[in-house]
Coordinates of all heavy atoms in Angstrom, one line a residue:
I10 N -28.3 -29.1 17.3 CA -28.2 -28.4 18.6 C -28.3 -29.4 19.8 O -29.4 -30.1 19.9 CB -29.2 -27.2 18.7 CG1 -29.1 -26.4 17.5 CG2 -29.1 -26.5 20.0 CD1 -30.2 -25.2 17.4
G11 N -27.3 -29.4 20.7 CA -27.2 -30.5 21.7 C -26.4 -31.7 21.2 O -26.8 -32.8 21.5
N13 N -23.6 -32.9 21.9 CA -22.7 -33.7 22.8 C -23.6 -34.7 23.6 O -23.1 -35.4 24.4 CB -22.1 -32.8 23.8 CG -21.1 -31.9 23.3 OD1 -20.8 -31.9 22.1 ND2 -20.5 -30.9 24.1
G14 N -24.9 -34.7 23.4 CA -25.8 -35.4 24.3 C -26.0 -36.9 23.8 O -25.2 -37.3 22.9
Q15 N -26.8 -37.6 24.5 CA -26.9 -39.1 24.2 C -27.3 -39.3 22.7 O -26.6 -40.1 22.0 CB -28.0 -39.7 25.1 CG -28.0 -41.2 25.0 CD -29.3 -41.8 25.5 OE1 -30.3 -41.2 26.0 NE2 -29.3 -43.2 25.6
I16 N -28.3 -38.6 22.2 CA -28.7 -38.7 20.8 C -27.8 -37.9 19.9 O -27.3 -38.5 18.8 CB -30.1 -38.4 20.6 CG1 -31.0 -39.1 21.5 CG2 -30.5 -38.5 19.1 CD1 -32.5 -38.6 21.6
G17 N -27.4 -36.8 20.3 CA -26.6 -35.9 19.4 C -25.3 -36.5 19.1 O -24.8 -36.4 17.9
D37 N -23.2 -27.1 21.2 CA -23.6 -27.5 22.4 C -23.0 -26.4 23.4 O -22.3 -25.5 22.9 CB -23.1 -28.9 22.8 CG -23.9 -29.6 23.8 OD1 -23.9 -29.1 25.0 OD2 -24.5 -30.7 23.6
L38 N -23.3 -26.6 24.7 CA -22.7 -25.6 25.6 C -21.2 -25.6 25.7 O -20.6 -24.5 25.7 CB -23.3 -25.8 27.0 CG -24.8 -25.7 27.2 CD1 -25.3 -26.1 28.5 CD2 -25.2 -24.3 26.8
C52 N -22.3 -23.0 21.7 CA -23.3 -21.9 21.6 C -24.6 -22.5 22.4 O -25.0 -23.7 22.3 CB -23.8 -21.6 20.2 SG -25.1 -20.4 20.1
S53 N -25.2 -21.6 23.2 CA -26.4 -22.0 23.8 C -27.6 -21.7 22.9 O -27.6 -20.7 22.3 CB -26.7 -21.2 25.2 OG -28.0 -21.4 25.6
V54 N -28.6 -22.6 22.9 CA -29.7 -22.4 22.0 C -30.5 -21.2 22.5 O -31.3 -20.6 21.7 CB -30.6 -23.6 21.9 CG1 -31.3 -23.9 23.3 CG2 -31.6 -23.6 20.9
L55 N -30.3 -20.8 23.8 CA -31.0 -19.6 24.3 C -30.3 -18.3 24.0 O -30.9 -17.2 24.2 CB -31.1 -19.8 25.9 CG -31.9 -21.0 26.3 CD1 -31.9 -21.2 27.9 CD2 -33.4 -20.9 25.8
L75 N -31.9 -30.8 19.7 CA -31.9 -31.9 20.7 C -31.8 -31.3 22.0 O -31.9 -32.1 23.0 CB -30.8 -32.9 20.4 CG -30.9 -33.6 19.0 CD1 -29.8 -34.4 18.8 CD2 -32.2 -34.2 18.8
A76 N -31.4 -30.1 22.2 CA -31.0 -29.5 23.6 C -32.4 -29.5 24.4 O -33.3 -28.9 24.0 CB -30.5 -28.1 23.4
A77 N -32.3 -30.1 25.6 CA -33.5 -30.2 26.5 C -33.1 -30.7 27.8 O -32.0 -31.3 28.0 CB -34.5 -31.1 25.8
L79 N -34.3 -33.3 30.4 CA -35.1 -34.6 30.4 C -35.9 -34.7 31.7 O -35.9 -33.8 32.5 CB -34.2 -35.8 30.1 CG -34.1 -35.9 28.5 CD1 -33.0 -35.1 27.9 CD2 -33.7 -37.4 28.1
L93 N -35.6 -23.8 28.8 CA -34.8 -24.4 27.7 C -35.8 -25.2 26.7 O -35.6 -25.0 25.5 CB -33.9 -25.5 28.3 CG -33.0 -26.3 27.3 CD1 -32.2 -25.4 26.4 CD2 -32.1 -27.2 28.0
P116 N -37.6 -33.4 18.7 CA -38.2 -34.6 19.3 C -39.1 -34.4 20.5 O -38.8 -33.5 21.4 CB -37.0 -35.4 19.7 CG -35.9 -34.4 20.0 CD -36.2 -33.2 19.1
S117 N -40.2 -35.1 20.5 CA -41.0 -35.1 21.7 C -40.8 -36.5 22.5 O -39.8 -37.1 22.2 CB -42.5 -35.0 21.4 OG -43.3 -34.9 22.5
S118 N -41.7 -36.9 23.2 CA -41.5 -38.1 24.1 C -42.7 -38.7 24.4 O -43.8 -38.1 24.5 CB -40.7 -37.6 25.4 OG -40.8 -38.6 26.4
Y143 N -41.4 -32.1 32.3 CA -40.9 -32.5 31.1 C -42.0 -32.8 30.1 O -42.0 -32.3 28.9 CB -40.0 -33.8 31.3 CG -39.4 -34.4 30.1 CD1 -38.5 -33.7 29.3 CD2 -39.7 -35.7 29.7 CE1 -38.0 -34.4 28.1 CE2 -39.2 -36.3 28.6 CZ -38.3 -35.6 27.8 OH -37.8 -36.3 26.7
K147 N -43.0 -30.9 26.7 CA -43.1 -31.5 25.4 C -44.4 -31.4 24.8 O -44.5 -31.2 23.5 CB -42.6 -33.1 25.6 CG -41.2 -33.2 25.8 CD -40.3 -32.8 24.7 CE -38.8 -33.1 24.9 NZ -38.0 -32.6 23.8
Y170 N -40.0 -40.0 20.9 CA -39.2 -41.1 21.2 C -39.6 -41.8 22.5 O -40.0 -41.3 23.5 CB -37.8 -40.6 21.5 CG -36.9 -40.0 20.4 CD1 -36.2 -38.8 20.6 CD2 -36.8 -40.7 19.2 CE1 -35.4 -38.3 19.6 CE2 -35.9 -40.2 18.2 CZ -35.3 -38.9 18.5 OH -34.5 -38.4 17.5
P171 N -39.4 -43.1 22.4 CA -39.5 -43.9 23.7 C -38.2 -43.8 24.5 O -37.3 -43.0 24.0 CB -39.7 -45.4 23.2 CG -39.8 -45.3 21.8 CD -39.3 -44.1 21.3
G172 N -37.9 -44.4 25.6 CA -36.5 -44.5 26.2 C -35.6 -45.0 25.3 O -35.7 -46.1 24.8
L173 N -34.4 -44.3 25.1 CA -33.4 -44.7 24.1 C -32.3 -45.4 24.8 O -31.7 -44.9 25.8 CB -33.0 -43.6 23.2 CG -34.1 -42.9 22.5 CD1 -33.6 -41.8 21.6 CD2 -35.0 -43.9 21.7
P180 N -26.7 -41.3 28.7 CA -27.8 -40.4 28.8 C -27.6 -39.2 29.8 O -26.7 -39.2 30.6 CB -29.0 -41.4 29.3 CG -28.2 -42.5 30.0 CD -26.9 -42.6 29.4
G181 N -28.6 -38.2 29.7 CA -28.3 -37.0 30.4 C -29.4 -36.6 31.5 O -29.7 -35.5 31.5
T185 N -35.3 -43.3 31.9 CA -35.0 -44.5 31.2 C -33.4 -44.8 31.2 O -33.0 -45.7 30.6 CB -35.5 -44.5 29.9 OG1 -35.1 -43.4 29.1 CG2 -37.1 -44.5 29.8
Ligands
LIG19 P1 -29.1 -35.2 26.6 O1 -29.4 -34.7 27.9 O2 -28.3 -36.4 26.6 O3 -28.4 -34.2 25.7 C1 -28.9 -32.8 25.6 C2 -27.7 -32.0 25.1 O4 -28.1 -30.6 25.1 C3 -26.5 -32.0 26.1 O5 -25.3 -32.3 25.5 C4 -26.5 -30.6 26.8 O6 -25.2 -30.2 27.1 C5 -27.1 -29.8 25.7 N1 -27.7 -28.5 26.1 C6 -28.3 -28.3 27.3 N2 -28.6 -27.0 27.4 C7 -28.2 -26.5 26.2 C8 -28.3 -25.2 25.7 N3 -28.9 -24.2 26.4 N4 -27.9 -25.0 24.5 C9 -27.3 -25.9 23.7 N5 -27.3 -27.1 24.1 C10 -27.7 -27.4 25.4 O7 -30.4 -35.5 25.9 P2 -30.7 -36.6 24.8 O8 -31.2 -37.8 25.4 O9 -29.8 -36.6 23.7 O10 -32.2 -36.1 24.2 C11 -32.2 -35.2 23.0 C12 -33.7 -34.9 22.7 O11 -34.5 -36.1 22.6 C13 -34.4 -34.2 23.9 O12 -35.3 -33.2 23.3 C14 -35.1 -35.2 24.7 O13 -36.2 -34.7 25.3 C15 -35.5 -36.1 23.5 N6 -35.8 -37.5 24.0 C16 -34.8 -38.2 24.5 C17 -35.1 -39.5 24.9 C18 -34.0 -40.4 25.4 O14 -34.3 -41.6 25.9 N7 -32.8 -40.0 25.4 C19 -36.4 -40.0 24.9 C20 -37.4 -39.1 24.4 C21 -37.1 -37.9 23.9

Side-chain angles (χ1 to χ4, degrees):
I10 302 173
N13 296 353
Q15 188 195 6
I16 301 169
D37 206 298
L38 294 175
C52 177
S53 168
V54 68
L55 297 175
L75 303 177
L79 276 79
L93 177 60
S117 184
S118 162
Y143 176 63
K147 286 293 180 186
Y170 288 135
L173 302 184
T185 55

